[in-house]
């Protein structure tokens, strides 16, 4: 961090600042130019309260050299993090495919979809039991009954389950029942929820907020990690822009950016990004091409009658063909997905 003092700042003020920072444990390099005096801080500045320094009337400007997140930062952890969920790896050389309906609707629905996506090579079953809907009048999910049905589908197929948590009071139940806990876009900055999830050791799938910057997403990951849970998977799921042809705008550039800044695995959700079923295929391929560690895709056996997000859900046959293409693409990049089973 670099602190630029205003011209004509009294020498004693500069010394007071320097000593204060040294007392906080930083090494401070003073450099006096013709007009400006600059204090260069050496040490871990992630915990520094910038606003306190900025409140000093003699401070002209503060420049951050280091990112404000530490545990999620690749600088301090050069190797890619690989998260192991019951033997299934997320990160590293494997491409993790999660698939399933937007929401769990019935036993037949979730078990049938789970069987189909598994046959096509998906390694995780997604499905919402608690649904964050824009309208309170829309289907809100089957809630705890939905969790039971997900567990049933896991028992039938062996696929680990990924599902969204909405409130901290459900954490114990989710830790017990679920394999990957999803934090939805709307809760990305629910800091109390993030802190509580940080106290568990469950893998957390953290989705990027509707209008969150990459740095804000990484700071949210830091909330979870700073409580001791380092099993965080990031998810780019499209952001709000002026464009309204698609539901959101898939920020593909976020993938290489996050991979440069952080060691955490990052997956892409093409379904919520586009909001259109026919865009899921090209966006999935693009995501793999730019280096995503996996995909989370909405698949429904009867999209026209889905209780949620049918317009962006692909059918199992289409998912199967997509998986074959993804496999070919992955191999081009010397990566792999697990074998698809022909049927
Ligand atoms: C979902 O995965 O069904 C979902 C609600 O996603 P998001 O939080 O990204 O909108
Ligand atoms: Mn959905």
């Amino acid at each position: 961090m670099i602190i630029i003092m205003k011209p004509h700042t009294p020498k004693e003020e500069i010394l007071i600042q320097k000593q204060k920072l040294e007392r906080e444990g930083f090494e401070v390099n003073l450099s006096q130019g013709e007009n400006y005096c600059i204090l260069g801080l050496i040490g871990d500045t992630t915990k520094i309260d910038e606003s306190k320094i900025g409140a000093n009337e003699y401070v002209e400007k503060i420049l951050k050299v280091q990112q404000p997140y530490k545990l999620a930062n690749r600088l301090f952890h050069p190797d890619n993090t690989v998260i192991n969920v019951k033997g299934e790896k997320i990160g590293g050389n494997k491409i993790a495919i999660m698939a399933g309906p937007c929401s769990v609707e019935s036993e037949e629905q979730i078990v049938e979809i789970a069987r189909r996506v598994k046959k096509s090579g998906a390694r995780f079953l997604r499905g919402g039991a608690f649904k964050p809907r824009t309208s309170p009048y829309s289907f809100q999910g089957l809630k705890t009954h939905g969790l039971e049905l997900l567990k049933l589908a896991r028992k039938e197929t062996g696929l680990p389950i990924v599902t969204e948590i909405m409130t901290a009071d459900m954490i114990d139940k989710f830790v017990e029942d679920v394999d990957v806990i999803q934090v939805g876009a709307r809760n990305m900055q629910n800091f109390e929820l993030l802190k509580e999830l940080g106290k568990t050791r469950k893998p957390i799938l953290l989705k990027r907020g509707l209008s969150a910057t990459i740095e804000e997403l990484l700071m949210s990951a830091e909330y979870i990690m700073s409580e001791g849970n380092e099993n965080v998977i990031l998810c780019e799921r499209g952001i709000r822009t002026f464009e309204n042809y698609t539901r959101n705008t898939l920020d593909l550039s976020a993938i290489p950016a996050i991979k440069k800044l952080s060691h955490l695995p990052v997956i892409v959700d093409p379904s919520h990004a586009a909001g259109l079923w026919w865009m899921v295929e090209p966006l999935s391929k693009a995501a793999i091409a730019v280096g995503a560690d996996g995909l989370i895709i909405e698949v429904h056996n009867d999209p026209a009658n889905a209780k949620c997000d049918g317009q962006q859900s692909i059918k199992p046959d289409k998912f199967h063909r997509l998986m074959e293409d993804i496999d070919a693409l992955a191999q081009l990049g010397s990566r792999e997905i697990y074998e698809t089973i022909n049927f």
Side-chain angles (χ1 to χ4, degrees):
M1 180 178 280
I2 291 165
I3 302 168
I4 305 171
M5 305 300 286
K6 282 186 179 151
H8 315 300
T9 301
K11 275 215 168 72
E12 313 77 74
E13 266 304 322
I14 292 172
L15 261 173
I16 291 172
Q17 268 298 328
K18 182 173 183 280
Q19 284 163 356
K20 216 163 119 194
L21 291 161
E22 282 171 343
R23 274 199 304 276
E24 285 181 37
F26 298 104
E27 194 182 312
V28 184
N29 281 333
L30 252 183
S31 100
Q32 181 68 59
E34 213 168 293
N35 292 312
Y36 290 96
C37 176
I38 293 173
L39 304 175
L41 267 61
I42 301 169
D44 178 11
T45 53
T46 46
K47 288 193 181 130
I48 212 164
D49 188 347
E50 224 182 283
S51 60
K52 259 193 192 155
I53 299 173
N56 183 309
E57 58 178 316
Y58 295 107
V59 171
E60 170 88 24
K61 210 176 184 177
I62 302 167
L63 299 175
K64 283 193 295 184
V65 179
Q66 193 183 318
Q67 286 98 1
Y69 45 89
K70 191 175 177 198
L71 298 168
N73 201 321
R74 194 180 277 283
L75 257 184
F76 307 108
H77 187 301
D79 295 333
N80 288 324
T81 285
V82 179
I83 294 171
N84 195 328
V85 186
K86 291 183 156 172
E88 302 295 351
K89 309 256 171 62
I90 306 172
N93 221 30
K94 293 256 187 283
I95 293 177
I97 308 288
M98 306 173 180
C102 177
S103 53
V104 183
E105 297 170 13
S106 67
E107 180 179 336
E108 302 71 50
Q109 177 242 22
I110 194 68
V111 171
E112 160 76 4
I113 296 173
R115 284 205 183 109
R116 297 290 301 272
V117 298
K118 184 182 179 176
K119 269 191 186 167
S120 302
R123 306 305 285 191
F124 297 84
L125 174 66
R126 66 143 289 152
F130 296 84
K131 294 303 306 173
R133 306 301 300 277
T134 302
S135 166
Y137 309 119
S138 304
F139 175 61
Q140 304 285 307
L142 295 181
K143 308 202 166 89
T144 42
H145 179 54
L147 288 182
E148 291 310 310
L149 298 183
L150 279 168
K151 279 159 68 181
L152 235 153
R154 175 175 61 197
K155 202 166 158 222
E156 289 288 321
T157 59
L159 291 178
I161 51 185
V162 184
T163 193
E164 177 167 355
I165 193 161
M166 302 233 288
T167 51
D169 62 335
M170 291 301 289
I171 289 180
D172 288 347
K173 175 117 189 88
F174 271 62
V175 166
E176 176 103 10
D177 289 354
V178 165
D179 303 301
V180 177
I181 304 179
Q182 177 176 326
V183 175
R186 290 153 192 83
N187 264 321
M188 189 204 85
Q189 286 191 319
N190 183 341
F191 301 122
E192 291 309 313
L193 178 63
L194 300 180
K195 281 193 269 185
E196 290 305 314
L197 289 168
K199 291 175 188 152
T200 76
R201 293 298 174 267
K202 273 277 160 177
I204 309 294
L205 174 61
L206 179 64
K207 297 187 96 177
R208 183 178 182 183
L210 274 68
S211 54
T213 63
I214 291 169
E215 186 167 295
E216 284 164 342
L217 172 63
L218 291 169
M219 288 307 285
S220 289
E222 194 78 10
Y223 261 96
I224 301 169
M225 298 172 87
S226 63
E227 294 290 336
N229 187 357
E230 305 209 329
N231 300 313
V232 181
I233 305 142
L234 303 168
C235 179
E236 161 59 39
R237 45 77 74 205
I239 47 172
R240 276 276 164 89
T241 67
F242 54 84
E243 183 54 69
N244 59 11
Y245 183 76
T246 45
R247 184 175 179 180
N248 293 288
T249 298
L250 178 58
D251 181 8
L252 278 176
S253 60
I255 315 308
I258 293 171
K259 299 234 69 132
K260 192 178 174 71
L261 296 168
S262 177
H263 53 89
L264 295 173
V266 49
I267 69 165
V268 166
D269 175 346
S271 312
H272 291 88
L276 300 163
W277 67 267
W278 54 270
M279 260 197 209
V280 169
E281 180 201 324
L283 294 184
S284 297
K285 292 178 184 169
I288 297 305
V290 295
D293 293 301
L295 297 166
I296 180 162
I297 298 177
E298 285 187 343
V299 178
H300 201 287
N301 50 359
D302 184 12
N305 290 304
K307 288 209 161 110
C308 183
D309 286 350
Q311 79 291 352
Q312 66 191 35
S313 302
I314 57 173
K315 291 184 182 165
D317 284 348
K318 175 107 186 137
F319 177 71
H320 189 80
R321 288 193 296 276
L322 172 60
M323 287 294 281
E324 287 173 341
D325 289 352
I326 295 290
D327 197 21
L329 250 179
Q331 284 175 27
L332 269 180
S334 306
R335 296 192 289 164
E336 56 179 300
I337 60 170
Y338 292 86
E339 245 172 71
T340 58
I341 301 161
N342 286 312
F343 58 94

